[in-house]
Amino acid sequence: MGDWFHRNITEPGKLPLLLALLAFVVTFLVTRTITRLIRAGKGPFGNVQAGGVHIHHVVPGVVLTVIGGFAAVAGGRHGFGSAFAAVVFGIGAGLVLDEFALILHLDDVYWTQAGRRSVEVVVLTAALVGLLLLGFSPFGVNGLSDDEVQSRGTALATIGVNFLFALVALGKGKIRTALFGVIVPLVALVGALRLARPGSPWARRFYRRRPRARARAGLRAYHHDRRWAGPARRFQDWIGGTPDPTPTPPPPPARRDSG
C-alpha cells in the first residue's frame, strides 16, 4: 500500500497535480462558505464593489489561473517553483469554476437553479483529477505494458478505440459518462452500448424511425432521473447551498366583459 501511494500520489512528477487539486477543493469550499455567510448576512464578509460594480470572484480567479499556468509552464515539474505554481493555479481554477454558471449564462445566476451547474462542474473536475492521481491515464494507456506502449500502433489503436467509445457516449447525451470514460475506458464502453437519452444527437439520428427504441429510451431516462435527480439535488445543495426558489409568475389579468 505504501509503495502504491508513493508511486501514484507522492512521486515528484505528480506532486504538483496533488497540490493543485488540494488547492482547488479547499478554495471552492472556503469560497462557498464565505458566499453562504454573505447571503445569510452573517460574519464580517461582504461583496466586493469597485465604482458601483460588483467584482465577482471569477475575476481574480482568471488572473491567478493565468499566472499559475504560465509559471507552471516556465518552471517545469519539479522544485518549489512548480509546487507554488500548482497551488496558485488550483486556487484560480477553484474561483473560476465556482462561477462557471455565470460564464456559461453571462448572467449572475449564482443562487438560481442554473447556478447548480457550477457545483456539478467542480465535482466532476475534482473527480477526474483524482482519477489521474490514482494512476489512471486518458484513453486506457495505463493498461498497456511497456512493450505495448513502445509499439506506436498498439498505443494509437487503444487511444482511437477508447476515444470512439467516449465520443459515442457523448453523442448519446451521456456527458458525465463520456468524461469519466476518457479516464476509465470501461465506463465509456458501457455508455456507448446503452440506449441514448431522448433528444440527444444519437436519438434524433437513429431512433427517428424506431418508435420502440424511442419509447424504451424515454422510459429508461424517466426512471433514471426519478431515481437520481433527488439525491443529486440534495448533494449539490449540501455542498453549494440551496438556490433561491423560482418566483411564480403572476396570473394574467382577468378580461373585462365589454358588454
Side-chain angles (χ1 to χ4, degrees), residues 3-96:
D3 293 340
W4 175 89
F5 184 82
H6 175 75
R7 183 175 65 255
N8 292 292
I9 302 295
T10 61
E11 65 179 5
K14 287 190 176 180
L15 183 59
L17 184 60
L18 174 62
L19 294 175
L21 177 60
L22 291 176
F24 173 78
V25 173
V26 171
T27 300
F28 170 74
L29 295 177
V30 170
T31 302
R32 280 284 164 168
T33 300
I34 293 176
T35 55
R36 292 171 79 167
L37 289 173
I38 294 174
R39 185 190 190 192
K42 300 178 180 179
F45 306 104
N47 294 323
V48 178
Q49 302 282 341
V53 178
H54 178 198
I55 305 298
H56 292 271
H57 48 269
V58 67
V59 176
V62 170
V63 175
L64 292 175
T65 302
V66 172
I67 293 175
F70 278 109
V73 172
R77 300 176 62 186
H78 305 282
F80 174 79
S82 176
F84 179 76
V87 172
V88 173
F89 178 83
I91 294 174
L95 294 173
V96 170

Side-chain angles (χ1 to χ4, degrees), residues 83-141:
F84 179 76
V87 172
V88 173
F89 178 83
I91 294 174
L95 294 173
V96 170
L97 292 188
D98 184 54
E99 293 200 312
F100 173 82
L102 181 148
I103 302 173
L104 180 64
H105 295 277
L106 294 179
D107 192 12
D108 189 0
V109 295
Y110 196 83
W111 292 118
T112 68
Q113 293 292 331
R116 293 179 184 270
R117 188 67 64 185
S118 297
V119 179
E120 183 176 353
V121 168
V122 167
V123 172
L124 282 174
T125 301
L128 291 173
V129 176
L131 287 174
L132 291 175
L133 278 172
L134 292 176
F136 290 91
S137 297
F139 302 120
V141 180

Side-chain angles (χ1 to χ4, degrees), residues 222-234:
Y222 169 77
H223 287 301
H224 178 275
D225 295 342
R226 185 177 181 181
R227 177 183 302 173
W228 296 109
R233 187 180 301 110
R234 288 190 291 271

